[in-house]
Every structure is written in structure tokens, then in C-alpha cells.
Amino acid sequence: MSDDYIYDEATGEWISPSDAAAAPAESPDGGVEVRDAAGNLLADGDSVTLVKDLKVKGANQTLKRGTVIKAIRLTGDAQEIDCRYEGIKGLVLRAEFVRKR
């Protein structure tokens, strides 16, 4: 048995090399894969549909289920996507609440 451990920056824990092999998959270009609620792979420029009503903090507005968001941008985080919607600047959505069109 080896006493070598790897520091995982995402969790802040020291893990064994065998556990590091089971880490989340990265895309071939070195970025993080972002998947929607149905498990589809998302990319920059995709259009998505909301699968749940979402209250937008600071905008006093609710985005209804079925709302189409066009031209998303990936942030480098596996759970967040950056997007624009009329009247809301700096909108960041969780990938678990959208579905690829």
C-alpha cells in the first residue's frame, strides 16, 4: 500500500489515488462537461428551456417553466451556466433546472 495522497481542490480534501480516478469527467479540451437535467451535454451557444419556475433574486421576477433561454455560455463550473434574458443582467442558472432544446 502506498501512502501517497492527492489534494482535491474542489472538495478541499486529501484523497487516495484510487478515489481520484473516479473524479468527474473532463472534456477532451480540458474543460468541465456541463449536463442538463436530462443528462444532455451542453455547449456554448445552445438554447435551453427551463424545467421549473424560478424566482430571480434581485429582479422581483419569476421565470416560468418552459421559458426559452438562447445562447448560453459555460462558466467552467459543472453546475452553472451564464445567460441573458430580457430585463435581467448577469443571470446565472443551475444546469439541473434546464433542458437542452
Side-chain angles (χ1 to χ4, degrees):
M1 244 326 152
S2 175
D3 290 336
D4 294 333
Y5 285 89
I6 300 170
Y7 184 72
D8 183 16
E9 293 180 9
T11 63
E13 298 178 354
W14 290 92
I15 56 176
S16 67
S18 60
D19 291 339
E26 291 188 359
S27 63
D29 63 354
V32 177
E33 288 185 350
V34 180
R35 298 199 177 262
D36 67 359
N40 299 318
L41 190 61
L42 296 174
D44 284 337
D46 284 346
S47 294
V48 295
T49 304
L50 297 179
V51 296
K52 178 181 177 182
D53 290 351
L54 299 174
K55 290 183 181 179
V56 180
K57 293 181 181 179
N60 294 331
Q61 187 175 359
T62 300
L63 296 176
K64 299 291 184 183
R65 189 175 114 212
T67 301
V68 176
I69 307 289
K70 298 178 182 176
I72 65 168
R73 290 177 305 280
L74 303 181
T75 62
D77 185 352
Q79 291 299 316
E80 294 179 349
I81 56 173
D82 187 25
C83 52
R84 286 188 185 178
Y85 188 73
E86 56 190 55
I88 303 173
K89 289 186 177 182
L91 180 62
V92 177
L93 296 174
R94 303 259 318 158
E96 64 189 297
F97 299 125
V98 299
R99 181 176 38 103
K100 188 174 181 176
R101 278 188 62 108

